[in-house]
Amino acid sequence: MAKLSTDELLEAFKDLTLIELSEFVKKFEETFDVTAAAPVAVAAPGAVAGGDAAPAVEEKDEFNVVLDAAGDKKIQVIKVVRELVSGLGLKEAKDLVESAPKPILEGVAKDAADAAKAKLEEAGAKVSLS
């Protein structure tokens, strides 16, 4: 296999969907036993003027899109699920929708999770993010 330059790799990644890129990152992490998550700096809690320490709120960077119920328009929901989850056949998508509550996407960025939730809700499904 020919060695690709950094620029060539970036061009190849631009052609991928967010779901495909997420799957690539997972496989990369598994193959090389690494994590692509950015290191989080931990700061010691400082004293607050009133003497109360405010708890630090940790920002989530990965979300799971969970299909809670298909709703009345099951066929439209199945179509959206097939669109969101690459490589899913009609039967697999139907089984997934019928076995709700089930996770549709796992470990995706907030933007992708919100977009998937909006599409599913537009099709008539009940969806939650976790």
Side-chain angles (χ1 to χ4, degrees):
M1 184 170 120
K3 187 174 180 178
L4 299 176
S5 71
T6 305
D7 291 334
E8 291 170 329
L9 285 171
L10 286 174
E11 286 301 315
F13 289 139
K14 286 180 183 178
D15 293 336
L16 297 177
T17 65
L18 286 176
I19 294 171
E20 292 169 332
L21 190 55
S22 174
E23 290 171 355
F24 169 78
V25 170
K26 286 179 187 176
K27 283 192 178 207
F28 185 90
E29 290 174 338
E30 290 171 6
T31 302
F32 295 104
D33 194 29
V34 296
T35 180
V40 178
V42 179
V48 179
D52 297 325
V57 178
E58 188 174 316
E59 183 77 24
K60 283 182 72 171
D61 59 350
E62 290 187 348
F63 293 86
N64 297 332
V65 179
V66 180
L67 175 67
D68 294 327
D72 296 334
K73 301 176 184 176
K74 188 165 65 172
I75 293 173
Q76 285 84 351
V77 174
I78 292 170
K79 288 179 182 179
V80 172
V81 167
R82 287 189 68 201
E83 182 182 317
L84 294 173
V85 183
S86 62
L88 218 64
L90 182 59
K91 181 177 178 356
E92 292 86 3
K94 180 179 179 273
D95 292 343
L96 183 65
V97 168
E98 289 178 345
S99 64
K102 280 284 200 181
I104 301 296
L105 299 173
E106 295 178 327
V108 296
K110 179 150 179 62
D111 294 344
D114 287 339
K117 180 180 179 188
K119 278 186 175 183
L120 286 163
E121 286 177 342
E122 186 178 311
K126 292 183 181 159
V127 183
S128 63
L129 299 179
S130 61

